[in-house]
Amino acid sequence: MINLKQVIFRYKDMTMQFDLHVRPREKVAVVGVSGAGKSTLLNLIAGFELPESGEIWLNGENQTYLEPHQRPVSMLFQENNLFPHLTVEQNIALGLKPGFDLNERERRLVQQAASAVGLDAFLSRKPTALSGGQKQRVALARCLLRDKPILLLDEPFSSLDPELRLEMLDLLDKLCTEKQLTMLMVTHQPNELKGRIDRILTVERGRLL
Ligand SMILES: Nc1ncnc2c1ncn2[C@@H]1O[C@H](COP(=O)(O)OP(=O)(O)OP(=O)(O)O)[C@@H](O)[C@H]1O
């Protein structure tokens, strides 16, 4: 599902090289110290960064130089996932298309995605009126609506307290299973993922151990 072949990325004097194979529906945690290259690895897969050389194969196709929106990938960041001037419904709807002229079917899909993350009653709220956990649920709903088979998460729940984090991890686990997603999640709390992931990858100085 995800295949990185000698992917080289250079930033100033730091050279990173990633070789990686992730099977369909595999759930993988990515760990490593700050600055090791975890976010860069995800950004390369998502297409937010382009490699100097090497190949990135996703879903059986060489997608090394495709634009992010053309890739079978959605990505959830630690914060700033939402547009503050838009409602929850509009923020989620962006997973479907850029405008907000939704037809009946599209509106139902948005409602279903909101419902899947337990936010049916919050559709008309703005992000400022949501808790940290609710905001990440909105962002997750938008990812689901994009309906891409690969989900990348960069420390998605780090700013939440431990109890809420576990609640979000349970929700994520359920959604990954239902949608048969392949998941890569950067985390500083790999212990919390025990029983929820297939393996842990360690990034050290721009390489996967
Ligand atoms: N576009 C960029 N702008 C600035 N620095 C970059 C960029 N791309 C990579 N780097 C550098 O590459 C290195 C790896 O950064 P990266 O964000 O991938 O690490 P990380 O393991 O995700 O760290 P953290 O846990 O702190 O988020 C750092 O030294 C970073 O400064």
Side-chain angles (χ1 to χ4, degrees), residues 9-14 16 18 30-43 48-49 78 154-155 186 188 203 206:
F9 180 83
R10 253 183 260 278
Y11 184 74
K12 293 193 174 158
D13 54 355
M14 182 169 178
M16 305 184 209
F18 298 113
V30 180
V31 302
V33 299
S34 185
K38 306 180 296 295
S39 300
T40 306
L41 171 66
L42 262 54
N43 288 336
F48 297 125
E49 302 275 15
Q78 184 174 353
D154 197 350
E155 300 189 55
V186 172
H188 286 287
V203 182

Side-chain angles (χ1 to χ4, degrees), residues 108-119:
R108 255 201 322 277
L109 287 175
V110 172
Q111 279 162 359
Q112 277 168 10
S115 169
V117 299
L119 284 182

Side-chain angles (χ1 to χ4, degrees), residues 60-86:
E61 286 175 26
N62 185 346
Q63 309 211 341
T64 313
Y65 297 106
L66 286 193
E67 294 287 327
H69 68 92
Q70 297 173 306
R71 301 188 185 206
V73 173
S74 44
M75 187 151 162
L76 187 65
F77 302 92
Q78 184 174 353
E79 47 198 18
N80 299 325
N81 290 290
L82 305 182
F83 291 94
H85 62 291
L86 302 180

